[in-house]
Amino acid sequence: MPRVGLFVTCLVDLVRPSVGFAAVRLLEQAGCTVEAPRAQTCCGQPAWNAGDRRNAEAIARSVIDMFEGFDYVVAPSGSCAGMLRRHYPEILKDDARYAERARALAGRSYELMSFLVRICGVARVDASWEGRVAYHDSCSSLREMEVRAEPRTLLSSVAGLEIFELSDPEICCGFGGLFCVKYPDISEAMADAKIADVTATGAQMLVGGDLGCLLHLAGRARRAGVALEVRHAAEVLAGVEGPAMGEAGKGDVE
Amino acid sequence: MIPDPTAFRQAAHEALDDPRLKVALGRLKTHFVQKRADAFERYGDFAALRDAGATIRDCALSNLDTLLEKFERNVTARGGHVHWARDAGEARQIVLDILRSADAKTVTKGKSMVTEEIGLNGFLEKNGIRPVETDLGEYIIQLRHEPPSHIIAPAFHLNKEDVAQTFRSAHTELPPERALDERSALVAEARVMLRRQFEAADAGITGANFLAAAEGAAVIVTNEGNGDLTRLLPRTHIVVTGLEKIVADMDDVSVLLRLLTRSATGQDITSYVSVVSGPGDAQDGPKNFHVVLLDNGRTALLGGETGEVLRCIRCAACLNHCPIYNSIGGHAYGATYPGPIGAALNPGLLGLAQAHHHPNASTFCGRCAEVCPVKIPLPSIMRYWREKEFEAHMAPKAMVFGLSLWAFAARHPALYRLGARVLARVLRVIGGRKRAIHSLPVLRGWFVARDFPAPQGKTFQEMWRAR
Amino acid sequence: MSARDDILRTIRARKAPALPRPARYRRVLDDDLAERFATRARAADATVEVLESMADVSGAVAGLLRARNMAACIHLPPGSAVAGLDWGQVRVLQTPPGPEDVAVALAPLGIGETGTLVFPAGEAAPASWHFRPGFEIAVLRVSDIVPDLETALSSLRMQWPHTINLVTGPSRTADIEQTLELGAHGPKALAVLLVRV
């Protein structure tokens, strides 16, 4: 049985643990044993993207250390997986001790849904969820992790779920990490364009693979008075019930 | 309108509030993005073609000195002149001196971003020479005293009513009651008005899309034919070009041409591609041929961490696919080169103090790098500029402080776990029954136009341990 | 130190180690060249007519002008390669064409890949004549169509001209609202007469 180290991600840990538990359920159902190293905090992307090389390097080294020994490292996020897979080798390429280990970690790091489909061979899930759903591709999932078909494969196997494609699935939603707070008005315009695309499909729910994008879109929809349920795709696939982002309801985590 | 890149925030804000600009920007998707995609789908071999393109450009840049010298020898051998300009000021003066010694009073101009970069028109006008822009888009914005808003389509931010109004104000000798409702009428009018200018010009100034060293050729790519009328009818032709545009020979140009036209407008080739190798002969073409090679900060980037930007063939695909450019347009950047290429280039050409917003106003979505025909790693270069900004202590203090707190916590797991548990509970309480937070005293930028969905109240780590 | 010396010195100090020339990029097209030329030229808004021989050219030109309600009058430069044809009722002028006039030119080469006419400038083939008129009619022999630009240019190397104009379709602009209009500054229309012999 493959040993998977779950890279929880800082956003899931802090804001929406149900995504982490959904990921665990899916991975265990796929035949993996899952551990979540206690020392994990963040992948270091905020530091890296802000140009803080020193902290980005330090965090990368500690992530490499704590995920030593797992067959795979899986994150419910294209952005954090992308950091491990695409950027750690780049960040530590001049580090004699860690360069090779960074490359090794990169080779074992995956985004959750593409891991399930490509590595575990999962083609369908047993969940059911009545509803009309639009799927949001995050930029890092698309371009860093080349995840496109796999979430759709899995979501289309959910009984009762109708999936709608956005008219422009390839354009950024405007989250971009610190971008959304540095340039809030541009970020807002990009979110509005994405939300309009979602509502135009007639979907009541938006799902995606990256919590950052989803919190940004859910938060904007709420402020703009647009009724839209937003969940992480893992939650739907794992049949994890509970309120959508920014909503109260049955199954609220207490 | 004096472009000011430091005014980016305000300019972007105004652009977002401009409904007419929004309509214009909507055309980027249908006209540029879709056409480019269709063209490369038909071509069928984008990956191999862009590999070849990137390699050709890198090879040329690594031989830049020998190629430029070879180019100079070949141009001179055919009776042309090559001039070298270290900066904008030298380039402007060279052009002025050539025009004066040619006794040129009326001058026509083809589209050239480099002449925009060096502020040539304003300088010539101050010295008594008014160059008339002949590319239709450039002609229109010249009449309106506006800078271009896009590398390929300088007037794309305007609609036909704007153009009609501009022509009515400028072409006062034409009957005022004439109809100008149709685009075809506007184009026909420009054709007539500019033909007079072409015929009258003493000198023509163009840019060059490529330079070929082996043939001593400048290659000019247009759809209108204005570049050719600009250079063929007058006695003197001046090419002003960035020196990084050179490649070894016309075979290399042929590869890059396939990439340029498809990337820019979705065309397999433009209506006119002109390979110009010196002055004309007795009956035809200019008697005097000059090429001004402009440095203006390019050689300072050569061989450095951002050196790949010099591969750029100025197709504007990155602009067309950029979600930020698609939201705010080109003027907001306040610089000759907007969008992702601007974000990668401007901190090098203008300095970080001037251009720091450009690499920061990006989500690193990566679409630009995906479509770049010469594989410039644009987001990576933007990130490098952010690193330079951080090292130079130029990044905003509040952000740096916040990040240092975050990074400290991230490197101290026990402290982090404790802090996260507290934060999850506090934010849940603040979120209240609505389960959403309307504002916080930190990260105010989030709350300008968004709520924050409240955390579920416990961290994953604490719940995982409790299992 | 001159600007030239300064710039070259900086380049030499900074440039990356010289990379070797990459292998030639070639794309082999196996289409019928004439067919591909015609398809691509038409896609670029040129009209293309296939003629059996040069003897049919003057009649085809007269037909093109009649169809457009234009006067049967063309401009040919002195010494033009098609001056020797029997132009019959079509009046031939040797003055440079104006923006509403018609010019006829022989294209020594055509490029199949893109439907492009190759016009090397010469004494009897002034470059500006491809941009002055309102209507350009090009005569191209099928046997002169080569696959790509690289091949076309290599055949010009022995006598490299001061200007080579590659012409694909008429003049166009999309500068107003990104909508295509023909005849911005160069010819509003381009007709290609493809001659089999």
Side-chain angles (χ1 to χ4, degrees):
Chain A
M1 282 180 95
R3 253 186 96 226
V4 169
L6 180 69
F7 193 95
V8 178
T9 83
C10 57
L11 284 178
V12 166
D13 179 59
L14 177 69
V15 180
R16 201 162 172 88
S18 52
V19 175
F21 286 104
V24 171
R25 184 186 286 187
L26 289 166
L27 289 164
E28 287 177 345
Q29 277 170 0
C32 304
T33 57
V34 184
E35 286 163 51
R38 193 152 188 253
Q40 64 183 299
T41 55
C42 175
C43 66
Q45 185 172 76
W48 180 241
N49 282 353
D52 182 356
R53 176 174 274 277
R54 207 178 50 86
N55 276 314
E57 283 176 4
I59 292 170
R61 287 185 200 109
S62 61
V63 169
I64 289 169
D65 285 339
M66 77 181 72
F67 280 91
E68 200 67 65
F70 289 103
D71 298 321
Y72 302 100
V73 178
V74 178
S77 161
S79 151
C80 305
M83 194 60 194
L84 270 56
R85 198 170 180 95
R86 299 275 169 236
H87 297 294
Y88 277 15
E90 193 192 322
I91 295 170
L92 296 172
K93 68 175 171 11
D94 294 328
D95 183 323
R97 286 181 306 140
Y98 279 88
E100 188 48 49
R101 295 177 65 198
R103 282 192 291 272
L105 177 71
R108 307 180 267 130
S109 298
Y110 290 88
E111 177 279 333
L112 173 69
M113 289 180 277
S114 55
F115 177 75
L116 291 169
V117 172
R118 287 184 214 163
I119 306 299
C120 302
V122 175
R124 44 170 300 103
V125 296
D126 279 330
S128 61
W129 201 298
E130 285 290 326
R132 301 159 62 107
V133 147
Y135 181 76
H136 169 62
D137 298 276
S138 70
C139 297
S140 32
S141 282
L142 279 178
R143 293 183 195 100
E144 294 195 318
M145 301 305 291
E146 291 165 338
V147 176
R148 205 179 250 100
E150 299 85 344
R152 291 163 169 87
T153 300
L154 295 175
L155 285 167
S156 61
S157 74
V158 175
L161 200 66
E162 236 189 308
I163 308 171
F164 292 87
E165 287 296 332
L166 299 179
S167 74
D168 196 349
E170 307 254 331
I171 194 161
C172 180
C173 69
F175 172 61
L178 283 173
F179 171 85
C180 70
V181 300
K182 287 189 312 196
Y183 297 95
D185 48 0
I186 306 176
S187 174
E188 176 192 336
M190 292 164 74
D192 284 344
K194 186 63 73 174
I195 290 167
D197 199 352
V198 173
T199 51
T201 66
Q204 317 134 318
M205 180 160 71
L206 174 67
V207 297
D210 272 80
L211 197 54
C213 306
L214 296 171
L215 289 169
H216 153 77
L217 291 170
R220 175 60 192 153
R222 235 194 112 85
R223 178 70 67 88
V226 176
L228 186 64
E229 274 180 63
V230 182
R231 288 191 169 75
H232 192 287
E235 298 174 289
V236 172
L237 294 172
V240 168
E241 310 240 330
M245 285 173 221
E247 292 179 16
K250 188 167 95 67
D252 233 339
V253 173
E254 284 309 332
Chain B
M1 192 188 294
I2 298 174
D4 178 9
T6 62
F8 179 83
R9 269 192 203 288
Q10 180 58 26
H13 192 78
E14 285 167 16
L16 288 167
D17 278 340
D18 183 346
R20 283 159 67 263
L21 179 62
K22 197 164 179 196
V23 170
L25 289 167
R27 293 188 206 114
L28 288 175
K29 201 170 292 187
T30 42
H31 290 89
F32 288 118
V33 173
Q34 191 57 51
K35 289 201 170 131
R36 176 201 162 275
D38 292 343
F40 279 115
E41 168 123 12
R42 274 195 316 269
Y43 188 76
D45 199 13
F46 179 56
L49 189 62
R50 78 198 285 243
D51 278 345
T55 309
I56 284 169
R57 291 296 296 134
D58 278 347
C59 184
L61 291 167
S62 73
N63 288 291
L64 190 58
D65 54 333
T66 41
L67 290 181
L68 288 171
E69 287 175 309
K70 192 172 183 184
F71 176 80
E72 181 183 48
R73 274 198 305 277
N74 288 327
V75 170
T76 310
R78 294 189 73 112
H81 305 269
V82 175
H83 312 261
W84 304 66
R86 279 171 287 211
D87 56 33
E90 283 187 358
R92 291 190 297 253
Q93 193 60 46
I94 290 167
V95 173
L96 181 62
D97 290 343
I98 296 169
L99 293 175
R100 280 194 174 136
S101 66
D103 201 25
K105 297 191 178 47
T106 51
V107 176
T108 45
K109 249 185 110 252
K111 196 171 90 60
S112 160
M113 296 310 293
V114 165
T115 59
E116 188 69 36
E117 183 187 330
I118 65 174
L120 182 65
N121 287 7
F123 176 76
L124 291 179
E125 282 167 31
K126 267 205 276 274
N127 283 279
I129 299 172
R130 183 171 175 272
V132 177
E133 295 285 350
T134 63
D135 169 272
L136 180 58
E138 291 283 350
Y139 177 68
I140 294 165
I141 61 173
Q142 182 179 44
L143 291 176
R144 295 172 66 90
H145 305 289
E146 287 178 27
S149 60
H150 187 283
I151 290 173
I152 300 296
F156 97 98
H157 58 291
L158 302 171
N159 57 35
K160 66 178 159 75
E161 287 74 28
D162 295 323
V163 179
Q165 182 238 329
T166 303
F167 280 7
R168 285 196 195 286
S169 318
H171 302 155
T172 48
E173 62 265 53
L174 296 180
E177 66 280 5
R178 70 195 186 284
L180 283 178
D181 308 313
E182 300 300 319
R183 279 178 287 266
S184 53
L186 295 166
V187 172
E189 183 161 312
R191 181 189 173 87
V192 168
M193 299 305 287
L194 282 167
R195 185 59 67 104
R196 300 178 198 174
Q197 302 280 358
F198 286 128
E199 300 280 5
D202 304 312
I205 303 173
T206 67
N209 296 84
F210 305 105
L211 302 175
E215 295 86 356
V219 181
I220 299 170
V221 177
T222 71
N223 273 309
E224 297 179 15
N226 64 303
D228 298 278
L229 288 167
T230 295
R231 66 160 287 258
L232 288 169
L233 302 193
R235 292 180 50 83
T236 299
H237 174 209
I238 307 172
V239 175
V240 186
T241 175
L243 49 68
E244 85 285 12
K245 292 245 179 106
I246 195 155
V247 290
D249 58 26
M250 284 303 301
D251 274 3
D252 283 353
V253 171
S254 302
V255 174
L256 294 172
L257 188 62
R258 289 183 180 96
L259 285 164
L260 173 65
T261 57
R262 287 176 179 84
S263 300
T265 54
Q267 293 177 279
D268 292 2
I269 193 171
T270 51
S271 297
Y272 304 109
V273 177
S274 304
V275 184
V276 179
S277 304
D281 53 39
Q283 281 85 11
D284 177 42
K287 306 292 163 276
N288 310 305
F289 178 65
H290 297 263
V291 180
V292 181
L293 299 171
L294 175 72
D295 184 352
N296 207 27
R298 287 153 173 75
T299 55
L301 301 176
L302 190 65
E305 293 266 353
T306 68
E308 294 104 330
V309 293
L310 297 174
R311 290 182 195 158
C312 180
I313 61 174
R314 304 287 192 265
C315 71
C318 59
L319 272 65
N320 296 332
H321 290 77
C322 174
I324 281 83
Y325 185 89
N326 267 271
S327 300
I328 64 177
H331 284 164
Y333 291 80
T336 306
Y337 305 107
I341 186 60
L345 199 49
N346 294 334
L349 294 187
L350 307 173
L352 268 169
Q354 281 288 299
H356 64 97
H357 280 297
H358 297 171
N360 276 292
S362 168
T363 59
F364 290 171
C365 79
R367 232 167 155 214
C368 50
E370 205 175 44
V371 299
C372 177
V374 287
K375 298 171 69 174
I376 303 172
L378 291 158
S380 176
I381 294 174
M382 291 182 226
R383 196 213 64 79
Y384 168 83
W385 288 122
R386 294 184 189 183
E387 195 174 308
K388 289 287 126 196
E389 189 190 18
F390 190 89
E391 277 170 17
H393 305 287
M394 290 169 69
K397 299 275 181 281
M399 188 198 78
V400 173
F401 181 64
L403 266 176
S404 64
L405 285 181
W406 172 260
F408 182 83
R411 293 168 64 179
H412 294 85
L415 175 66
Y416 183 96
R417 284 193 298 274
L418 175 63
R421 286 205 307 273
V422 170
L423 195 56
R425 279 160 179 74
V426 167
L427 291 177
R428 173 140 172 117
V429 167
I430 293 176
R433 276 205 326 270
K434 292 180 311 187
R435 300 284 184 261
I437 299 167
H438 191 81
S439 76
L440 285 177
V442 292
L443 292 176
R444 287 176 202 276
W446 180 280
F447 298 98
V448 169
R450 278 170 295 238
D451 292 339
F452 187 78
Q456 286 170 330
K458 290 186 179 173
T459 64
F460 176 87
Q461 289 282 9
E462 69 177 294
M463 294 173 74
W464 182 251
R465 299 300 141 210
R467 262 195 349 171
Chain C
M1 189 178 281
S2 70
R4 181 183 188 281
D5 292 336
D6 228 357
I7 289 170
L8 287 171
R9 195 186 45 145
T10 307
I11 292 173
R12 284 176 188 130
R14 297 194 58 92
K15 64 179 180 176
L19 292 167
R21 288 299 305 277
R24 292 277 162 219
Y25 175 90
R26 292 315 274 265
R27 199 159 157 262
V28 177
L29 297 169
D30 51 16
D31 319 28
D32 173 76
L33 280 180
E35 240 178 73
R36 185 170 171 119
F37 178 94
T39 308
R40 297 317 305 158
R42 288 182 180 122
D45 300 303
T47 59
V48 180
E49 235 182 284
V50 182
L51 306 177
E52 288 309 310
S53 78
M54 293 298 286
D56 300 325
V57 168
S58 59
V61 168
L64 283 168
L65 298 177
R66 261 196 315 273
R68 286 171 169 70
N69 279 330
M70 296 177 87
C73 176
I74 61 170
H75 293 251
L76 298 180
S80 159
V82 290
L85 298 178
D86 175 8
W87 286 102
Q89 302 297 335
V90 178
R91 198 160 149 244
V92 176
L93 298 175
Q94 291 194 326
T95 51
E100 302 299 319
D101 294 335
V102 183
V104 180
L106 179 82
L109 290 162
I111 298 173
E113 182 185 340
T114 47
T116 299
L117 301 158
V118 181
F119 291 116
E123 270 197 47
S128 63
W129 281 48
H130 304 297
F131 303 93
R132 291 179 181 277
F135 183 22
E136 180 168 45
I137 303 173
V139 181
L140 172 68
R141 291 190 174 89
V142 168
S143 53
D144 287 331
I145 301 176
V146 298
D148 52 31
L149 177 57
E150 289 92 328
T151 312
L153 293 178
S154 70
S155 67
L156 295 176
R157 285 199 191 288
M158 292 321 301
Q159 275 220 296
W160 191 260
H162 67 80
T163 298
I164 304 167
N165 290 119
L166 306 173
V167 177
T168 315
S171 159
R172 67 191 60 237
T173 181
D175 270 341
I176 303 178
E177 293 180 339
Q178 299 314 306
T179 306
L180 189 66
E181 296 290 333
L182 300 179
H185 298 298
K188 299 182 247 189
L190 176 74
V192 182
L193 301 175
L194 264 186
V195 180
R196 283 200 200 284
V197 174

